[in-house]
Amino acid sequence: MEIKEIFENNSQWVQEKLGHDPKYFEKLAKGQEPDFLYIGCSDSRVTAESMMGAGPGNVFVHRNIANVVSNLDVNALGVMNYAVQHLRVKHVIVCGHYECGGVKAAMGDADLGIINPWLRNIRDVYRTHQAELDGISDEGDRYRRLVELNVQEQCLNVLNNPDVQSAQKERGLQVHGWVFDIAHGTIIDLVESGKIDFQSVHGKIAGIYKVDKK
Ligand code: CO
């Protein structure tokens, strides 16, 4: 894809939108009221809005390598605070994906420089679930399972966030753990499909992370 194409595509897109609604961008400029905060991987194949059939204004998006919600990442924490406390989204979605390069790298031992401390987050997920993961003999299956468990742990990181805790208490904010199956194009709800159950894990640990925002 060339840069030139992007600008051509953009003008076409503007015309298309205005064709349906001449005031489309005028309305868009007035503000946003998204229902969803989406936290996903930066991978170019996992396009947050288009795979969800969502348009401008629907989804507040945060992406990084391997959809990590780090407690020391002011970027992720700022996005979460703004989405939950100010935009008052109804749902927070953590979406991992199979074939995730970040998760794969965390399973290997290559020195990736500045990415090492980031991958450490995923290595810690591996450590937390070492017994289960080491018990999976097929490497591909183990890799897919780590993708799923990483979603679970990042959902827990979301639930352990004080802004999320108070929004859950006050207005029933919901947290979802998904995986995007690149080879089939499908979004899978990992809780509904019984692959993870972060709510029951959270039930056991919530007391440790509780912050009472009076
Ligand atoms: Co990825």
Side-chain angles (χ1 to χ4, degrees):
M1 194 171 187
E2 304 280 339
I3 290 281
K4 201 171 155 253
E5 272 180 80
I6 294 175
F7 286 91
E8 287 165 5
N9 291 345
N10 175 250
S11 336
Q12 259 178 37
W13 178 73
V14 170
Q15 291 317 314
E16 211 178 280
K17 291 286 182 196
L18 294 177
H20 289 297
D21 178 1
K23 297 206 160 173
Y24 183 79
F25 293 104
E26 218 176 289
K27 288 183 201 157
L28 205 56
K30 289 201 171 115
Q32 58 170 334
E33 282 180 48
D35 287 333
F36 306 95
L37 164 60
Y38 169 97
I39 301 169
C41 185
S42 295
D43 193 304
S44 61
R45 300 165 296 177
V46 189
T47 55
E49 285 102 338
S50 70
M51 73 180 187
M52 289 192 272
N58 293 145
V59 191
F60 203 66
V61 173
H62 179 74
R63 292 170 70 178
N64 60 39
I65 293 174
N67 41 274
V68 168
V69 180
S70 164
N71 186 49
L72 296 173
D73 176 7
V74 286
N75 186 353
L77 297 181
V79 165
M80 207 142 56
N81 176 271
Y82 190 71
V84 170
Q85 296 293 337
H86 299 272
L87 296 174
R88 297 172 70 83
V89 296
K90 297 179 179 128
H91 305 268
V92 178
I93 297 156
V94 175
C95 186
H97 68 101
Y98 297 132
E99 310 304 326
C100 183
V103 171
K104 183 151 226 171
M107 281 175 70
D109 60 4
D111 181 355
L112 296 172
I114 189 69
I115 306 176
N116 290 333
W118 192 253
L119 296 183
R120 166 65 193 276
N121 290 298
I122 302 156
R123 293 192 165 113
D124 287 344
V125 173
Y126 196 107
R127 176 169 55 80
T128 306
H129 296 276
Q130 188 176 13
E132 178 184 346
L133 289 163
D134 282 355
I136 303 170
S137 54
D138 182 82
E139 205 189 325
D141 291 344
R142 194 158 67 242
Y143 169 32
R144 287 165 73 88
R145 187 59 183 147
L146 182 54
V147 166
E148 295 166 0
L149 291 170
N150 183 45
V151 171
Q152 166 160 307
E153 292 304 316
Q154 305 316 325
C155 286
L156 289 171
N157 286 336
V158 170
L159 289 170
N160 291 336
N161 178 282
D163 293 328
V164 171
Q165 287 173 20
S166 58
Q168 282 201 303
K169 207 159 82 180
E170 286 161 19
R171 55 188 181 84
L173 173 74
Q174 288 180 39
V175 178
H176 308 266
W178 295 352
V179 74
F180 178 62
D181 185 351
I182 293 189
H184 300 95
T186 47
I187 296 171
I188 299 163
D189 184 317
L190 289 171
V191 175
E192 275 185 15
S193 64
K195 289 182 186 282
I196 61 172
D197 183 4
F198 59 84
Q199 293 293 1
S200 77
V201 179
H202 188 247
K204 292 175 203 145
I205 62 167
I208 302 169
Y209 297 96
K210 195 171 170 215
V211 174
D212 200 1
K213 292 180 86 161
K214 292 236 162 59

